[in-house]
Amino acid sequence: MAVLVWMGFASGLPLALTGQSMQAWLSLEGLDVATIGFLSLVGLPYTFKFLWAPLMDRFDLPWLGRRRGWMVASQLALGGVLLVMAATPPKTALQAFALLAVAVAFLSATQDVVIDAYTTDLLPGGERGLGSSLKVLGYRLAMILSGGVALIWTDPANALVGDAGSAAPWTWPEVYRLMALLLAVSALLGTVALPRLPELRPEESAPGVSMRQDLVGFLAVVAAVVSGYVITDRVLAPLAGWGLTPLLEGSSLSPLLRQRWVDLAALLAGIALTLPLAAWAARRARFQTLLGGLASYFAQPGAWAFLGFVVLYKLGDAFAGSLMTPFLLKSMAFGSAEVGVVNKLIGLWLTIAGAVLGGALMLRLGLWRSLLLFGVLQAASNLGFWWLAMHGKGALPGWVVPAFDWGFLHLAQPTPVDGGLLMVIAFENLSGGMGTAAFVAFLMSLTSRRFSATQYALLSAFASVGRVWVGPLAGVLAESIGWPTFFIVSTVLALPALGMLWALRAQVRALEPEPATASSG
């Protein structure tokens, strides 16, 4: 249990660096909301990580044993790419900056594959609820650092970091260099602190599957994905422009927003082409570890329905949160330090509290009732942002955070905190933390030990569809229909998952460990 907090921390550290912290950096650089929304696509590797996760099931790097070698390698590579990203200015080299962010997301997704598989292999069924809450605890602590603390560090009016008497806030490149250093330290700790996993038993190995065949299969899938990208760029994007431009010319949308709708249509068409193409390539090249992992998952009752539920459960939550930072900084005109204190520090501490509370409640409620209760709370929390967009700043009395100096973090002057902002963020983060703890335990319960990396990567990739893919649509919709209607839409999108969960109650309850198993774990 002790190592789960640290592994969650390592997993959560890079996420904000290609998500909300990157959005804050880009917002301060003056990029428009629609462009920032499309840059959420740098997180695409999170949705495709199941394509290379079989390599982590099939191969082990030398010396460190099962799972640990991949973990250390991915963290060292992450640190190196973050250093290069810190030296790349986004305003003058946006394309290079975006490609580096994609590389960070790819390595972060790879690290997640290994950490998720390691956690699944480590925990018996009865400990997964509590274990997932501890992992979320570490994950959120990392996001407090790379998100909330980073926003306060970089605030030009309030954030002062360094020796006593220093008056200079940190720059975003300095923040990214620090995160690179922390990942290098994490890699060092991984070589000495993590317990070794037992090797697979003979019946759990992959008899008759050659390493060469799996490598050929992986390369075939990569070639299919590259081909899908080229076809999308050269053929589908021009076709989308040809078909949609005449329809949009008579609308009141700005030329930039019209182009974003065309880009979105091309993107969806490219996905519809690329995924079947990759599946065909895997079958033709006999990528057995990928095919075997998928066959093992889909052999269980309700597999397809579970996959749909995995996509939908966090969809409304992801939709509301996809552009939270630009909403608070640009549309609501809150200061960076205020957003950092409320959304990233106070809010994420409440997420941690929610995760721990959710893990504890799961011991009494069980998996299905926890998913249902926490899912209802997640959906209701989106209405808080609608209320904030309607009533604006000052609707509720606030309070003032006094100036402080903790050495690593210094708030130069008292910072006012809006009462409405605090209320909305508190409810959203508390309910989100509980929902995440239950959801992670649910994903673990769907995997087998032989294919834990492949299957958990598949499930978590589908779970990240909302967080990654709604970004382009969210940015376009927010500018097209306005923030209040946008948050109503996000609430409605949370309801189908609750309906599916009710229909699947018998299958979900069957995944819960027997009382004897839970107590022995």
Side-chain angles (χ1 to χ4, degrees):
M1 289 292 179
V3 301
L4 294 179
V5 178
W6 167 65
M7 286 195 298
F9 182 88
S11 180
L13 198 65
L15 184 63
L17 302 179
T18 55
Q20 292 191 351
S21 288
M22 188 182 75
Q23 289 179 359
W25 188 358
L26 297 175
S27 296
L28 294 176
E29 291 282 339
L31 275 73
D32 61 273
V33 172
T35 299
I36 294 173
F38 262 84
L39 283 174
S40 67
L41 290 176
V42 301
L44 281 177
Y46 289 104
T47 65
F48 289 111
K49 59 186 177 182
F50 65 91
L51 295 177
W52 65 90
L55 299 181
M56 280 119 232
D57 272 331
R58 186 66 180 86
F59 305 106
D60 293 324
L61 298 182
W63 302 307
L64 296 177
R66 185 167 171 78
R67 309 295 189 201
R68 297 196 308 167
W70 286 110
M71 201 181 307
V72 170
S74 61
Q75 289 170 355
L76 289 174
L78 264 171
V81 176
L82 283 174
L83 286 176
V84 179
M85 191 174 177
T88 306
K91 193 166 186 178
T92 58
L94 184 60
Q95 184 174 8
F97 185 87
L99 290 175
L100 288 168
V102 170
V104 171
F106 171 79
L107 293 167
S108 177
T110 302
Q111 177 190 223
D112 287 352
V113 167
V114 185
I115 289 177
D116 293 337
Y118 182 93
T119 305
T120 303
D121 294 346
L122 190 68
L123 295 175
E127 295 180 358
R128 284 175 175 169
L130 181 58
S132 64
S133 69
L134 290 176
K135 186 180 172 187
V136 171
L137 166 63
Y139 193 89
R140 297 297 178 173
L141 284 172
M143 293 188 69
I144 286 176
L145 180 62
S146 63
V149 173
L151 277 176
I152 298 175
W153 279 347
T154 56
D155 186 276
N158 295 316
L160 301 176
V161 181
D163 298 331
S166 172
W170 282 36
T171 64
W172 278 110
E174 289 173 333
V175 170
Y176 275 62
R177 285 194 288 270
L178 174 63
M179 301 307 158
L181 175 62
L182 290 178
L183 283 164
V185 172
S186 179
L188 177 62
L189 291 175
T191 63
V192 296
L194 290 182
R196 283 182 176 267
L197 293 175
E199 297 298 325
L200 291 175
R201 297 189 298 271
E203 61 270 20
E204 295 175 317
S205 61
V209 179
S210 69
M211 293 184 180
R212 179 181 178 277
Q213 190 64 53
D214 268 350
L215 287 174
V216 170
F218 171 70
L219 293 175
V221 169
V222 170
V225 171
V226 171
S227 299
Y229 170 79
V230 172
I231 294 172
T232 301
D233 183 57
R234 302 293 177 85
V235 179
L236 299 182
L239 284 176
W242 175 79
L244 288 180
T245 299
L247 299 176
L248 296 173
E249 281 180 349
S251 69
S252 60
L253 297 177
S254 67
L256 177 62
L257 280 179
R258 290 200 294 266
Q259 182 58 45
R260 291 293 179 252
W261 279 110
V262 171
D263 293 341
L264 182 61
L267 173 65
L268 295 176
I271 296 170
L273 168 72
T274 303
L275 286 180
L277 186 63
W280 174 82
R283 288 193 299 269
R284 290 285 296 179
R286 297 194 301 278
F287 192 179
Q288 292 300 330
T289 302
L290 173 61
L291 298 175
L294 297 181
S296 173
Y297 168 77
F298 286 109
Q300 61 184 316
W304 283 103
F306 284 149
L307 206 58
F309 172 73
V310 163
V311 172
L312 294 175
Y313 187 70
K314 282 285 188 179
L315 184 61
D317 203 35
F319 205 88
S322 60
L323 292 172
M324 186 186 302
T325 301
F327 167 65
L328 297 177
L329 289 177
K330 300 185 71 173
S331 298
M332 300 301 297
F334 291 113
S336 293
E338 186 176 10
V339 172
V341 168
V342 176
N343 187 32
K344 304 298 185 178
L345 290 182
I346 298 175
L348 285 177
W349 276 115
L350 288 170
T351 304
I352 292 169
V356 175
L357 177 61
L361 288 175
M362 285 183 66
L363 297 176
R364 296 186 62 86
L365 296 176
L367 184 58
W368 180 78
R369 288 191 294 174
S370 297
L371 287 168
L372 182 63
L373 173 61
F374 304 159
V376 170
L377 293 176
Q378 282 181 164
S381 70
N382 287 352
L383 293 175
F385 292 103
W386 166 81
W387 178 90
L388 188 62
M390 291 294 294
H391 292 82
K393 299 171 64 173
L396 294 178
W399 57 291
V400 177
V401 178
F404 58 83
D405 185 357
W406 296 342
F408 73 96
L409 181 65
H410 184 160
L411 197 62
Q413 56 190 1
T415 299
V417 170
D418 184 78
L421 174 65
L422 181 60
M423 178 192 71
V424 170
I425 293 298
F427 184 33
E428 194 273 336
N429 282 271
L430 192 64
S431 61
M434 291 191 289
T436 299
F439 191 56
V440 170
F442 171 69
L443 297 184
M444 289 183 187
S445 68
L446 294 176
T447 64
S448 66
R449 185 167 182 263
R450 166 67 185 92
F451 297 108
S452 57
T454 301
Q455 292 176 350
Y456 198 102
L458 171 72
L459 295 168
S460 60
F462 274 82
S464 69
V465 163
R467 190 184 77 243
V468 175
W469 292 109
V470 303
L473 178 60
V476 172
L477 274 182
E479 292 202 352
S480 301
I481 64 178
W483 288 108
T485 307
F486 171 79
F487 288 119
I488 292 293
V489 171
S490 74
T491 304
V492 172
L493 288 174
L495 301 180
L498 300 178
M500 286 193 69
L501 183 60
W502 183 264
L504 292 169
R505 58 190 180 277
Q507 293 94 320
V508 175
R509 282 173 170 159
L511 297 173
E512 299 179 5
E514 297 294 330
T517 303
S519 61
S520 64

